[in-house]
Amino acid sequence: MLEPSEIPRDEGRHEEVFLARYGHLRAWALRLTEGDIAHAEDLVHDAFVQFTFARPDLGRIENLDGYLYQMLRNLNVSQIRRARRRHEDAPAVVEYDSAEFALRASTDPRDAIRVQDELRQVCHYACLRKETSKAGSVLILRFMHGYYPGEIARVLRSSRESIEERLRTARGEARQFLQDPSRLRFIKRGDSRAAAAAVAPPATGFAQTHEELLADLRRRVFDSRHGACMRNELLAALYGEGAQKGRPDCATLAHLVSCPRCIDEVNELQGLPPLSERYPTDSLGVEPRRKRGGGGDGDDGKGGGEGGTGGAFVEEARRCRHRARDTFEHRPRELCVAINGRLLAAQKVGSVLSEQKLNVGTGEEVSFVEVFSEQDVRLLYLDPAAWPAGEDGACALSVSLSDRRTLEARLSYVDSAPTVQVVYRDPLMAAAHAPLIEEAEDGIEQVGALIDDESRREREREGGRARAFVAAWGWLRRLLGRFTKPLTVLSPGAVAAVLAVLVVAALLFTRLYVPPVSAAELLRRAVAAEESEARPGLVLHRTVFVEESKSVGGRSVVTRRRVETWQGGASRIKLRRLYDERGRLVAGETTNSDGTGTLFRRGSPPSETNGTTAHELLDADDIWRIEPSAESFNALDASVEGLRVEDRLGTYIVGRELSSASEDGLVGASLWLNKSDLHAYRMMLVVRRDGVTVEYRLIEGGFEKRRAEDVPPSIYQLEPELLDATQATSNESGAAKSQRDDGAHTSLLVPHASAVASAELEVEVAYLLNQIKANLGEQVSMGRTTGGALRVEALVESEGRKEAILRALGPVLDNPAVVVEVSTVAEALAKRARAESGNVTEREVVVAAGRIPADAELRAHFAARLTDDARVDAEIKQFAARAMTHSRQALLHASALQRLASRFTPADARALGTDARAKWLSMMREHAEAYRREVSALRAQLSPVFDAGGEGAASEAVDDANAPQAAERLLQLSYAQDAAVRSAFTISEGGGTAAGIKSQQFRRTLAASERLAAKIEEAYEH
């Protein structure tokens, strides 16, 4: 039996460190989300969970504020990129951990009424079912009252494994109840009143607030209470210290879960939180009332607030811890892996060990890795920059979850291609039959209760059943006495235990016996699963790596190519692209819904592919046109007699040797299928040609489903280099042409990449963005796609800014090696379909004083020459604004400088062409000079008031070799300076101070950063 586990203690005081910065983090999140309060606080809560779960080494993080800010920014990018998929892939309401989870996930206002009506129906089912099955009571505790599974096990005095089984049973019945209550057997067996009560509550036609709905659900549960409350001494005997082993029966449990007095008495006896502390409804998006109290390290609870810079309030800290406990207890049924915020793969959890391995592809820089559940709960966040690489160059992160579960992500590089491995272990999966034993134990306890005088007196309605049992037992004993005399001396309880053990043994035998898996049946089901994936309205995108291995001159030679396949949409067309080892597009194939198709190769005329068989593809060495699938496996005659199945952990391997190795043709084939959904993810073919044996491995690197409306029609247009001039002109559709003509109004201009971007092109794109200052504080990023193309993504405030970026990038928009995505905040929010849309949320902000921390010094300075208090106030406000602007601009230039310096190694920078190198050097000098100018202006402004002059320590020499390290150091100094300036010139409640800008350290930091910027500027003169 698994015992409930607790959240690991935070040895590095990560919780206190985070909560002490809550105000800063919340202010940053508000800027990232354009003032969206609910979204901002959700980001901060998620960051708290991942920071405290991962517990990075604080000694290795030189700039903790910068690390946390980058985490918030990454989480925000991930939120936006995944928003369009969440609504489509959302599980059923009853599949969420609790009603709170379901409400938190229902962000679409159009679904709010439906979700709430279904929650009421689930509540109605549970209230009916609790009278006849403990599964109904367990569902109420978990789904309505917010108990965690480990807590429920203590209330039922049961095993942790059996709770999962009862929850699974209850959720399955609840799903049927939502569809058709009459299908449930316990309703069919009931009387007419029970059948009438089973009618689901009518739809309301309106949506309540989350607090109103949760209160309404609890009220419905309490109204379903039956029977008298148990005496306190009976509860103490069952749940108190030194209580004898025993469990509450179904009727007792049904009363407990629907009686607030009784359940809170059990909570007190078991040391569990009372009902009043469960379901913190302010965590569902409503602003909390601000109370002073425990913030973070050294915080007096006066931080937070709108734009506040202090620690967390009591409510904020409680909500962060509540989110962490929710995540810690959450058991995923599916694991989804995202790279840089994009979902790449998903796998059902069906065994003790679940493992995924993704080949991200060359050219893709992995900034962060995330693992989500099917309920969109982020379970792991891995930032490679925060974790030391091992001897093999890989970095790994492991988090501990409840019930001894672990989740690990590992990022490694094989031949410069990123590979992500995710391993999830769930010991509960190994205890599938524990509920059967417990059901037998429950039966024995109930038999004992029937012959117990005290229980019979308290439950008169069961007396008749007890008498019937005694009579039946007497008859059975007389019958058995004819065969064996010793049995007559056994008590009824002992014989009942023997019979229960025999029943359990029979059940275990029938359930544990698994007939051999039929290869033919596996393939048939796999083909059916593949056909079901091609649903109308969905587009399938698949990445497959084709590895060819053969022996040449006594050594093994391996080549690796990549195939990108798009299939679906209104036209049902399939488009396949082939890229060589360098990421260049070399071939493509289009296949229509009627089976006709055309093959395109670089430098060759197109050819028709009508009726080409799989064997012909093998003979022509066109393996890349074969899908790793059950259908292809059958088409190769690989599924004939002699097929064998190897049953591995989470995988079926179907294969056989087809012929003698001395014959040409296909001599061996194997297909890997996921056990959970029979999805084929790998296929190996062994082919013999002219006496040479070649092994082909088709390995899936990614598989995703997209809504057809999210995929532009131009994704199905082959690149010009595969078409001659005539075809390129005729193949251009009106939709794609209108996209280019009206490019200012589209967010996805170039949806695919057909070539690898050169370093010179990368510099050109960066130079164009730099000309319009798109790299100073805006959410504009530039990276590489899996094919090696440049991907520019921007999230901007207005249509005007969007058009400005598109105009600036005009010279490269038609380049096939550049992918550009530009969206406005309004467009991104529309895709998220936020539930808060149109609502106005009021918040209370407590500010201790209306003056900035540096007010006294500034007031003394300006009062010496001004007598009008109003003018003094105006001067102070302008002074603070100018100082904040200089500090902020310096930080932005330092950040841009660091990104440019780290984009190319010194060797790569020296290898740039003359024109590209000149542009790169000019950008480096421009940002270094601008930084120095802003810091000099800040020093000059602060010096008369705060004596901000002084000399910093001598800076080391900067050259091509250490320029990236110098730029990183400059960014760290900038973060420290900006924090001191904001602390002095920002109004907050006890969270700011002017001591920083008056210190010798601050003066030395300003001088050192100015000198370092000058050194960097000199280093890039040539």
Side-chain angles (χ1 to χ4, degrees), residues 435-618:
L436 293 176
I437 299 175
E438 182 172 311
E439 288 173 6
E441 293 173 352
D442 284 342
I444 296 171
E445 291 177 4
Q446 291 171 4
V447 169
L450 288 175
I451 62 175
D452 183 86
D453 293 338
E454 181 178 355
S455 297
R456 186 161 54 244
R457 286 194 300 270
E458 293 201 3
R459 297 176 177 83
E460 294 180 357
R461 63 186 180 86
E462 295 183 350
R465 205 186 310 174
R467 289 189 294 272
F469 172 80
V470 172
W473 163 243
W475 177 83
L476 180 62
R477 186 172 57 178
R478 289 192 298 272
L479 179 64
L480 293 176
R482 298 183 179 182
F483 300 97
T484 172
K485 193 70 174 177
L487 283 178
T488 60
V489 299
L490 295 178
S491 66
V495 175
V498 173
L499 293 178
V501 171
L502 293 176
V503 171
V504 170
L507 289 173
L508 288 176
F509 176 78
T510 56
R511 291 202 180 187
L512 289 176
Y513 174 72
V514 179
V517 180
S518 166
E521 176 63 16
L522 272 181
L523 290 174
R524 187 193 65 78
R525 289 161 49 195
V527 170
E530 292 167 1
E531 293 175 350
S532 66
E533 286 178 343
R535 298 196 304 268
L538 284 183
V539 173
L540 306 181
H541 176 216
R542 194 179 197 189
T543 301
V544 175
F545 294 96
V546 181
E547 296 181 354
E548 178 182 343
S549 177
K550 59 184 176 181
S551 179
V552 177
R555 62 187 183 90
S556 178
V557 177
V558 179
T559 59
R560 195 168 191 255
R561 297 175 292 175
R562 177 172 55 88
V563 180
E564 296 280 346
T565 303
W566 295 85
Q567 180 181 5
S571 62
R572 309 291 295 174
I573 194 174
K574 177 187 286 188
L575 177 62
R576 186 180 286 114
R577 294 182 174 90
L578 174 66
Y579 299 86
D580 64 11
E581 289 184 289
R582 299 181 59 186
R584 297 177 304 180
L585 181 66
V586 295
E589 181 184 24
T590 60
T591 305
N592 301 317
S593 57
D594 59 359
T596 61
T598 307
L599 179 64
F600 302 87
R601 299 183 188 274
R602 184 187 291 267
S604 301
S607 58
E608 299 298 323
T609 60
N610 304 344
T612 305
T613 66
H615 283 287
E616 290 173 344
L617 296 179
L618 284 180

Side-chain angles (χ1 to χ4, degrees), residues 863-874:
R865 58 185 179 85
L866 298 174
T867 58
D868 186 358
D869 289 343
R871 291 191 60 189
V872 171
D873 290 339

